[in-house]
Amino acid sequence: MNNQSKEIFDLIEKEKIRQENTIELIASENFCSKAIRDACGSVLTNKYAEGYPQKRYYSGCEFVDDIEAIAIDSAKKLFKCDFANVQPHSGSNANIISYFSFLNSGDKILGLSLDCGGHLTHGFKLNFSGTNYEAFQYTTDQDGFLDYDQILKQAQEIKPKMIVCGASAYPRKIDFKKFREIADSCNAYLMADMAHIAGLVATDLHMSPIPFADVITSTTHKTLRGPRGGFILSNKENEEKINKAAFPGFQGGPLEHIIAGKAICFIEAMDLSFVEYQKQVLKNAKILEQELLNYGFDLVTGGTDNHLLLVDLRKKNISGKKAQTLLESVGVSVNKNSIPNDPKSAMVTSGIRIGTPAITTRGCKEEEMKIIAKYINAVLSNPEDLDLHNKIKQEIKELLKNFPTP
Ligand code: DSN
């Protein structure tokens, strides 16, 4: 190992220790299995495989062909659909590829605004989705809920070519059937970005978008607990245009090492233990909801019925940015997050987003959730008490020793 690679491996080791000593509550993060990490760090990274299984532009693809075919078949089986493309390098790429498949530049799209829980790629003005298309945004109501009547009204006025549903910071279930009805009422395509809830969908703990959306995009690394990457689902009818849009339309060589990780992820998600895991993710979020409400925190929509909570900190007189920094200093990782109609900028925010997928993977259950809520309350209620913060930091390190990372 030369000095430069040693420096990198030292940093990787530090990151490993950081992860071990942190209560990870970032709602979009998780810990994938060792098998997935091994696949992603394998010799497959050396292989070029532009094209699709049995239709490649390079020789020597017989083994990556089998791997990608297993990933495709497993994704189809897991989500009960008849088309999957597992090549998107990320969720954003999956969304770009889906737009390329169904839209022309300048077409109208309608998606959830970023400050109400949407994603940059759902039409945000600084993102390609907001510059390459004529993007309109719907919002949540005053209490933070999707207002399907209002979205219907807007859709009928705008007549978008595509409606985008799905969210990055929405603590409630999404009614994909209603979105289908809205899309049908204005003859629009429906794209469902299920990145956050893919693990819940895979285990039937959330309504599946599969029968309702024309195209479904996702990441593999959030609730689904796979490697960092994306994928697209649809039906056979759309196979050709989506595959063409992915390659050669947008991406080059697929990352076969990551695709191997995705295959393992889909297979792991078919195991009964994965259903138990997702149930615990939901239980843990519910306990955090109850505990934080008992401590006097306001939650957007009043609570959660998925894997995440959005805490409105205005009453506590602390910004999301400050809360994130304070919690990080004791070893609790959350992210600052805008709340609907946030008076503060996106860099400061009035809220934090809290999710349970990662901490549940480490084996934490109801009792630990109560302890975590207690720590969050103690730190945010006593922002200047450094002695208390140090004590909590030590206690967190001790607590986490009982919950090893995979
Ligand atoms: N950045 C992701 C999240 O945190 O939700 C969305 O892509």
Side-chain angles (χ1 to χ4, degrees):
M1 193 190 298
N2 63 30
N3 277 345
Q4 274 142 2
S5 42
K6 181 174 178 328
E7 188 183 353
I8 295 298
F9 279 102
D10 286 348
L11 288 167
I12 293 173
E13 187 57 26
K14 283 184 181 161
E15 170 60 10
K16 182 168 172 267
I17 293 167
R18 187 197 69 79
Q19 290 185 12
E20 278 165 2
N21 291 333
T22 300
I23 293 178
E24 186 51 74
L25 298 176
I26 291 180
S28 49
E29 293 192 11
N30 212 329
F31 298 98
C32 69
S33 66
K34 169 111 178 21
I36 291 176
R37 283 192 280 120
D38 285 347
C40 294
S42 71
V43 294
L44 297 173
T45 195
N46 300 331
K47 187 74 199 98
Y48 246 125
E50 282 174 356
Y52 290 98
Q54 315 303 332
K55 281 175 264 166
R56 304 284 190 184
Y57 289 83
Y58 293 85
S59 61
C61 289
E62 61 268 42
F63 303 116
V64 295
D65 271 3
D66 285 354
I67 289 169
E68 190 167 335
I70 293 171
I72 291 168
D73 286 347
S74 307
K76 290 193 306 196
K77 194 167 163 206
L78 178 64
F79 290 103
K80 304 176 192 80
C81 62
D82 59 12
F83 168 72
N85 184 310
V86 296
Q87 293 195 357
H89 302 331
S90 66
S92 290
N93 282 18
N95 289 350
I96 294 175
I97 291 162
S98 297
Y99 292 150
F100 279 4
S101 307
F102 290 86
L103 304 174
N104 295 309
S105 295
D107 279 345
K108 290 179 186 174
I109 60 169
L110 174 62
L112 179 61
S113 74
L114 193 58
D115 57 342
C116 288
H119 189 255
L120 290 167
T121 56
H122 296 182
F124 182 60
K125 60 180 187 295
L126 299 179
N127 182 264
F128 85 92
S129 58
T131 54
N132 197 38
Y133 303 102
E134 192 183 354
F136 296 84
Q137 305 263 266
Y138 53 90
T139 56
T140 47
D141 69 13
Q142 274 187 346
D143 299 318
F145 287 91
L146 288 170
D147 179 346
Y148 295 94
D149 292 338
Q150 178 56 31
I151 301 167
L152 172 69
K153 216 169 129 213
Q154 228 178 323
Q156 289 182 338
E157 277 164 21
I158 293 164
K159 300 201 186 340
K161 188 151 173 202
M162 178 180 269
I163 294 176
V164 182
C165 58
S168 283
Y170 185 66
R172 297 294 178 175
K173 296 222 157 103
I174 296 173
D175 191 334
F176 295 114
K177 186 166 182 282
K178 278 199 178 139
F179 269 109
R180 177 76 262 167
E181 287 161 11
I182 294 170
D184 284 346
S185 81
C186 57
N187 211 14
Y189 291 118
L190 181 64
M191 179 178 117
D193 178 344
M194 65 166 184
H196 260 266
I197 54 168
L200 298 172
V201 170
T203 48
D204 293 330
L205 294 167
H206 190 293
M207 177 194 279
S208 171
I210 311 301
F212 303 112
D214 297 285
V215 58
I216 299 97
T217 60
S218 185
T219 54
T220 28
H221 51 270
K222 296 186 174 92
T223 46
L224 200 51
R225 208 164 65 177
R228 189 159 296 280
F231 63 101
I232 301 174
L233 305 174
S234 187
N235 49 53
K236 266 270 174 234
E237 194 187 313
N238 296 319
E239 172 167 3
E240 200 182 327
K241 66 180 167 192
I242 294 173
N243 278 351
K244 268 193 182 156
F247 175 84
F250 182 66
Q251 291 190 162
L255 309 178
E256 293 297 340
H257 52 307
I258 303 297
I259 289 175
K262 288 174 190 174
I264 299 172
C265 153
F266 299 136
I267 292 165
E268 285 179 355
M270 283 185 250
D271 196 89
L272 270 185
S273 62
F274 194 70
V275 180
E276 293 312 309
Y277 160 67
Q278 294 295 339
K279 283 184 181 164
Q280 192 65 47
V281 166
L282 293 178
K283 272 190 213 162
N284 284 351
K286 257 316 184 209
I287 297 287
L288 273 185
E289 169 202 281
Q290 288 311 312
E291 295 295 304
L292 291 174
L293 288 173
N294 289 343
Y295 284 120
F297 285 92
D298 284 336
L299 301 177
V300 174
T301 76
T304 178
D305 44 33
N306 62 19
H307 62 297
L308 69 85
L309 306 103
L310 207 48
V311 186
D312 176 348
L313 294 166
R314 284 176 300 178
K315 210 170 77 188
K316 295 278 180 182
N317 231 353
I318 191 165
S319 70
K321 183 178 177 192
K322 175 91 178 158
Q324 175 183 310
T325 307
L326 280 170
L327 290 170
E328 187 175 20
S329 76
V330 301
V332 176
S333 180
V334 301
N335 67 282
K336 64 182 178 221
N337 211 103
S338 297
I339 55 169
N341 303 312
D342 202 320
K344 293 192 165 71
S345 77
M347 287 305 286
V348 180
T349 82
S350 302
I352 49 173
R353 187 182 63 163
I354 296 182
T356 52
I359 199 68
T360 307
T361 293
R362 291 185 75 164
C364 291
K365 296 206 164 96
E366 286 84 338
E367 277 318 298
E368 290 75 39
M369 292 305 123
K370 289 182 188 167
I371 297 170
I372 291 170
K374 186 179 79 180
Y375 289 150
I376 292 173
N377 178 54
V379 172
L380 298 187
S381 306
N382 302 282
E384 311 294 339
D385 191 341
L386 294 186
D387 288 342
L388 176 71
H389 296 181
N390 278 332
K391 183 171 165 283
I392 290 176
K393 188 174 181 169
Q394 288 317 314
E395 285 180 16
I396 285 176
K397 268 193 186 172
E398 282 308 308
L399 174 78
L400 289 176
K401 281 185 186 155
N402 301 318
F403 300 96
T405 54

